[in-house]
Amino acid sequence: EVAEMQTGLVTAKAIADGLLLDGRVVLDGILFDTDKATIRPESKPALDVIAKYLQDNPALQVYIVGHTDGTGGFDHNLALSRNRASAVSSALSRDYGIAATRLLAHGVGPLSPQKTNQNEGGRARNRLDLSERVASRQTREKRRETLIKDLEVGEVREGRVVRLEDF
């Protein structure tokens, strides 16, 4: 059985903005078979975007963090989230040549939901996020300069008003 999930597709811009503004970004567009860590084929476009971003930012090291909804047993969900994060990490390394040392998979099960677990739409989106592991000052400054070129103070980005202190 395959669960149908309606999600958007992660973009390079969303990855850059999320990592700079929040230190993490939800990886929409990566889908799994129900209650399994099998990545569905329709996830390829999202994996392509993530891999390209990592290839374009070779100093970036990240956590790939797996999440689950709150249904089912806690230990099962913790293992499922870890296995899903590992599956994505393995796919990025195996299929796209991203060094495995740059990717650290970790599962948090239902402990840190990205979206509400109170409805099916939210539960369907509690899957994965990408969080920055190590950022050198030079790397942060370079990303900061790049993002500032594209932004104006007061602009609404990712539902937030951009403030100078965000940088």
Side-chain angles (χ1 to χ4, degrees):
E1 173 186 348
V2 176
E4 291 300 322
M5 298 190 308
Q6 299 297 321
T7 61
L9 177 64
V10 68
T11 64
K13 186 164 182 29
I15 294 172
D17 289 355
L19 290 178
L20 183 65
L21 296 173
D22 298 319
R24 67 183 280 246
V25 63
V26 174
L27 298 179
D28 285 330
I30 299 182
L31 308 175
F32 298 91
D33 288 345
T34 301
D35 204 34
K36 296 181 183 171
T38 306
I39 300 172
R40 292 176 48 186
E42 40 292 39
S43 302
K44 187 174 181 336
L47 289 168
D48 290 347
V49 169
I50 297 161
K52 175 82 167 94
Y53 185 82
L54 291 170
Q55 290 163 347
D56 290 347
N57 295 276
L60 185 62
Q61 296 182 22
V62 295
Y63 292 107
I64 297 172
V65 182
H67 301 263
T68 62
D69 59 35
T71 60
F74 177 80
D75 290 337
H76 174 76
N77 281 335
L78 196 58
L80 178 62
S81 66
R82 184 175 34 252
N83 292 339
R84 286 177 169 177
S86 293
V88 170
S89 178
S90 294
L92 290 169
S93 185
R94 177 190 63 242
D95 300 338
Y96 297 93
I98 306 298
T101 56
R102 296 178 54 203
L103 310 169
L104 184 59
H106 190 67
V108 295
L111 293 175
S112 179
Q114 303 158 318
K115 305 294 179 191
T116 183
N117 273 323
Q118 301 303 312
N119 61 56
E120 185 56 37
R123 286 189 294 271
R125 293 199 59 212
N126 279 325
R127 297 298 176 246
L128 291 165
D129 70 50
L130 188 77
S131 299
E132 188 170 13
R133 266 177 48 202
V134 177
S136 69
R137 182 182 174 127
Q138 184 178 24
T139 301
R140 282 193 312 269
E141 287 299 315
K142 181 179 177 190
R143 285 204 332 259
R144 176 182 180 271
E145 289 171 14
T146 301
L147 187 59
I148 286 175
K149 288 178 190 174
D150 296 336
L151 292 176
E152 293 185 28
V153 173
E155 176 181 353
V156 175
R157 177 68 63 94
E158 298 292 318
R160 295 174 45 188
V161 176
V162 176
R163 300 168 303 157
L164 198 53
E165 56 267 21
D166 288 334
F167 304 101

